[in-house]
Amino acid sequence: MTPYMSEGFQIVAIDGGAASGKSSTARGVAGAAHFLHVDTGSHYRAVTLRALAEGLEPREGPALDRFLAGLRFESEVRGRCACIRLNDEVPARADIRSDAVNAAVSAFAALPAVREAVRAYQRDQAGVARQHGFKGLVMDGRDIGTVIFPDADLKVYLEADASTRAARRKEEGQTDTIDDRDRIDSTRATAPLAAAPDAVRIDNSNIPLEGVVDEVLRLLRERSAGARAEESPTQ
Ligand code: DC
């Protein structure tokens, strides 16, 4: 049994590359299971947006340290989603998904100082979910199952083929350098994009979103049943 389950609260970690369907799946799971959804990509995007506005380059050093020290991270719960509020402002979705942010976010997210600045905030989201009466937390990103919640109740790693991922971005009206971002995200030294050894891998290239959400919910029920059986084994 994992620590979260023993407290009647579950954590689901969903990781995967760009446009692998993480956020849509996490939103669907949050809606069906009454969990809080946290999209950690939006955290790195919000930091990148502000760093670009201040003219910063994605480079470690005193300027970056001063910038990071001046950031105040809070959450604003809207429906089943916890939005990042950075220095009293919830950044607009269109701004954090702009071409400029798409192009720079992986470079900023690769910096150990940036990752350290968001780590505690991301772990605190379990407390935010509990305070708001949610039964669990579903968090998506690149290192949720490996670094942020290595003892999550369920870890899912989503994959999709290149043409499916490109089509998804196009549908969203975005120009995104998916391959470049995945290369930077998976080869960086700190918290690279990786499937945890105990993650369930799902290739969703040919599965509709509802099918993937249902599969995650089924896995979650399976884990809960397993945990209950562990708690009260039959003689
Ligand atoms: O999920 P997304 O495409 O919005 O993420 C944007 C970028 O943020 C992605 O290229 C890498 C980074 N990221 C990360 O390094 N770790 C996470 N947990 C989430 C996102």
Side-chain angles (χ1 to χ4, degrees):
M1 159 145 5
T2 66
Y4 305 109
M5 236 175 218
S6 61
E7 297 164 26
F9 182 88
Q10 290 175 300
I11 295 190
V12 180
I14 302 188
D15 289 303
S20 62
K22 302 179 302 291
S23 293
S24 308
T25 302
R27 257 195 309 276
V29 170
H34 193 69
F35 283 11
L36 182 68
H37 170 219
V38 176
D39 163 11
T40 58
S42 71
H43 303 166
Y44 293 99
R45 288 173 176 276
V47 170
T48 300
L49 177 68
R50 196 165 267 265
L52 292 176
E54 295 197 12
L56 283 176
E57 296 285 331
R59 220 187 357 242
E60 299 268 352
L64 181 75
D65 291 344
R66 267 195 307 279
F67 164 73
L68 293 172
L71 295 180
R72 205 171 48 260
F73 294 89
E74 290 165 303
S75 290
E76 188 169 306
V77 175
R78 296 180 178 169
R80 291 201 167 124
C81 170
C83 301
I84 183 167
R85 191 162 59 210
L86 204 49
N87 295 8
D88 299 324
E89 201 185 316
V90 177
R93 186 183 153 80
D95 292 342
I96 61 171
R97 300 201 153 264
S98 66
D99 291 349
V101 170
N102 277 346
V105 64
S106 288
F108 278 101
L111 302 172
V114 170
R115 304 204 73 81
E116 197 188 317
V118 299
R119 198 180 305 129
Y121 167 68
Q122 292 180 344
R123 289 184 176 146
D124 282 350
Q125 299 310 296
V128 172
R130 279 199 184 94
Q131 275 160 22
H132 284 79
F134 288 95
K135 294 198 298 193
L137 170 72
V138 53
M139 182 174 273
D140 72 83
R142 304 293 190 289
D143 61 341
I144 310 308
T146 50
V147 174
I148 303 301
F149 290 118
D151 46 6
D153 301 284
L154 173 63
K155 300 176 191 178
V156 174
Y157 190 82
L158 291 182
E159 295 165 295
D161 60 42
S163 63
T164 305
R165 299 198 297 146
R168 284 178 187 156
R169 275 297 188 259
K170 210 167 159 200
E171 249 173 52
E172 290 168 357
Q174 285 193 62
T175 28
D176 195 353
T177 48
I178 290 173
D179 293 338
D180 289 346
R181 286 211 285 130
D182 275 359
R183 188 179 35 75
I184 301 173
D185 296 342
S186 53
T187 55
R188 67 183 175 222
T190 310
L193 161 65
D198 53 346
V200 178
R201 299 178 90 112
I202 302 176
D203 185 325
N204 61 17
S205 309
N206 298 304
I207 314 177
L209 177 61
E210 313 80 69
V212 184
V213 170
D214 284 349
E215 176 59 5
V216 175
L217 293 170
R218 190 192 66 74
L219 288 164
L220 199 53
R221 280 194 301 273
E222 201 177 82
R223 295 289 157 98
S224 308
R228 277 197 300 275
E230 231 180 72
E231 231 177 21
S232 51
T234 45
Q235 300 299 315

